[in-house]
Amino acid sequence: MTSEYRHIPVLLTECIDALDLPEHPVFVDATLGFAGHSFEAAKQLGSDGLLIGIDQDEVALSSATEKLESIPADRRPELGLLRGNFGDLDELLCSCEIPGIDAILFDLGVSSVQIDTQSRGFSFKENGPLDMRMDPGKQTLTAEEIVNTYNAADLTRIIRAYSDEKWASRIADFIVKARADAPITESGQLVDVIKAAIPASARRAGGHPAKRTFQALRIEVNSELTVLRRGLDAAVRWLNPGGMIVVISYHSLEDRIVKDTFASFANRCTCPPELPVCVCEKQPILDLVTRKPQLPTPEEIARNPRARSAKLRIAQKR
């Protein structure tokens, strides 16, 4: 991947339309990045709106601040740009002293600045230290520690569960064998081990052979699925009536969590199916705007290959 196309916001028009921002809106970009989506949203917010942007990467936050502040003052919304993780959404929004929000966007996955920075170890295409922490200042667990200390069973479990890698057990065994000779400290070393573990015939299709294992390690390092569940639950609580929640996911594990979370708030009845009427009185909290996810058009994928696996889901607070 090149930074040129990874800086292009995915499903931009669809997201801005879905946010449906009202007058005097409070909009939260829970994954601010380089403010690709927020820059366009700010034009709708105007000077009467409040834009709260959240990112845990200092470089991205600084770049986003500069971009958003380039909007003329008389057309720029009030900005509240916060360093943090959307898993801590309750704490972050409490610090803004607001009663609720009108729309929130999650653009999940790894940001371009993280992939581009070789020392972060996210990329399987460039050699670097096996780190993969999204917030090195607060996190201690690294991919290097996982690769060199988890036993074969635990390595198999996370690789299989977080990536659907069919060769998970074999990759785990090869990792354990390789680290017995010397610690695996760099991404290039790990790529070589993974390539050796996957038979040559299986490496000819399905993209880079290390892609799925690197995804699994990244998810484990950053507790991404747990953080996502926590962030989505908090977002629904903070939404004002009529407020919109818009989520772009990039792999099936994320999309399944978004789908299930939305469904749990849209279908809250716990009555046995044989009862003719609901007696539990648990009312729906969300209405599903998208029953099936919106996908990028072939034209967008041609312009921006990062969009290839994107899925957009939208719901509205009752």
Side-chain angles (χ1 to χ4, degrees):
M1 296 187 186
T2 66
S3 59
E4 180 181 354
Y5 70 71
R6 278 189 287 106
H7 290 172
I8 302 172
V10 173
L11 292 162
L12 177 59
T13 300
E14 293 84 348
C15 286
I16 298 302
D17 290 346
L19 291 170
D20 193 25
L21 297 167
E23 291 186 11
H24 312 294
V26 178
F27 165 61
V28 177
D29 188 337
T31 50
L32 184 62
F34 287 99
H37 292 96
S38 279
F39 188 77
E40 293 302 316
K43 297 176 184 177
Q44 286 195 10
L45 291 166
S47 58
D48 291 332
L50 169 62
L51 192 160
I52 298 172
I54 299 168
D55 205 285
Q56 56 190 344
D57 193 293
E58 286 186 278
V59 175
L61 201 59
S62 175
S63 177
T65 301
E66 183 178 349
K67 183 171 185 175
L68 291 169
E69 288 182 346
S70 71
I71 299 172
D74 61 340
R75 288 181 286 161
R76 184 174 66 231
E78 180 182 352
L79 301 177
L81 306 184
L82 309 173
R83 186 179 179 197
N85 185 299
F86 63 70
D88 300 319
L89 193 62
D90 282 324
E91 178 184 340
L92 291 164
L93 293 183
C94 280
S95 73
C96 298
E97 299 182 349
I98 55 172
I101 62 177
D102 299 303
I104 186 166
L105 169 70
F106 294 82
D107 183 9
L108 305 174
V110 186
S111 74
S112 57
V113 68
Q114 291 161 344
I115 294 177
D116 286 344
T117 306
Q118 197 169 340
S119 62
R120 302 290 291 275
F122 284 101
S123 177
F124 45 78
K125 295 184 177 180
E126 295 185 43
N127 192 38
L130 274 175
D131 193 318
M132 298 194 191
R133 291 173 294 173
M134 291 187 176
D135 189 351
K138 293 184 179 180
Q139 296 171 253
T140 57
L141 180 65
T142 65
E144 179 182 342
E145 181 177 345
I146 292 170
V147 166
N148 288 287
T149 64
Y150 279 29
N151 61 34
D154 285 337
L155 287 171
T156 300
R157 172 183 56 80
I158 67 168
I159 296 170
R160 181 175 291 143
Y162 294 158
S163 71
D164 291 328
E165 172 59 75
K166 64 181 293 186
W167 301 101
S169 178
R170 186 174 166 89
I171 291 169
D173 288 340
F174 272 60
I175 288 173
V176 172
K177 182 179 179 181
R179 76 190 190 196
D181 295 328
I184 301 171
T185 61
E186 296 184 341
S187 55
Q189 290 176 270
L190 181 58
V191 168
D192 289 341
V193 173
I194 294 167
K195 286 181 175 178
I198 299 177
S201 58
R203 297 200 305 266
R204 297 192 185 105
H208 196 288
K211 175 176 65 176
R212 289 175 292 275
T213 299
F214 270 61
Q215 172 183 296
L217 290 171
R218 191 198 78 220
I219 290 173
E220 176 75 2
V221 167
N222 298 287
S223 302
E224 289 182 31
L225 304 186
T226 300
V227 167
L228 177 57
R229 292 186 184 95
R230 196 165 69 236
L232 292 175
D233 286 348
V236 173
R237 288 196 302 273
W238 278 88
L239 278 175
N240 293 324
M244 307 298 296
I245 178 170
V246 178
V247 187
I248 307 172
S249 62
Y250 293 91
H251 59 75
S252 60
L253 296 174
E254 291 174 339
D255 182 60
R256 191 176 306 136
I257 289 171
V258 178
K259 177 183 177 182
D260 291 348
T261 300
F262 282 8
S264 71
F265 284 108
N267 305 297
R268 302 184 69 234
C269 178
T270 57
C271 295
E274 60 268 17
L275 286 183
V277 295
C278 173
V279 296
C280 73
E281 298 184 348
K282 292 186 177 180
Q283 297 298 313
I285 294 173
L286 291 180
D287 288 320
L288 302 181
V289 177
T290 52
R291 293 283 174 177
K292 294 184 177 180
Q294 291 187 23
L295 304 177
T297 63
E299 292 76 18
E300 177 172 6
I301 293 171
R303 293 192 309 269
N304 182 11
R306 180 179 179 245
R308 188 182 309 279
S309 60
K311 293 182 178 180
L312 174 66
R313 292 188 184 271
I314 308 162
Q316 184 173 29
K317 183 82 170 277
R318 286 199 171 196

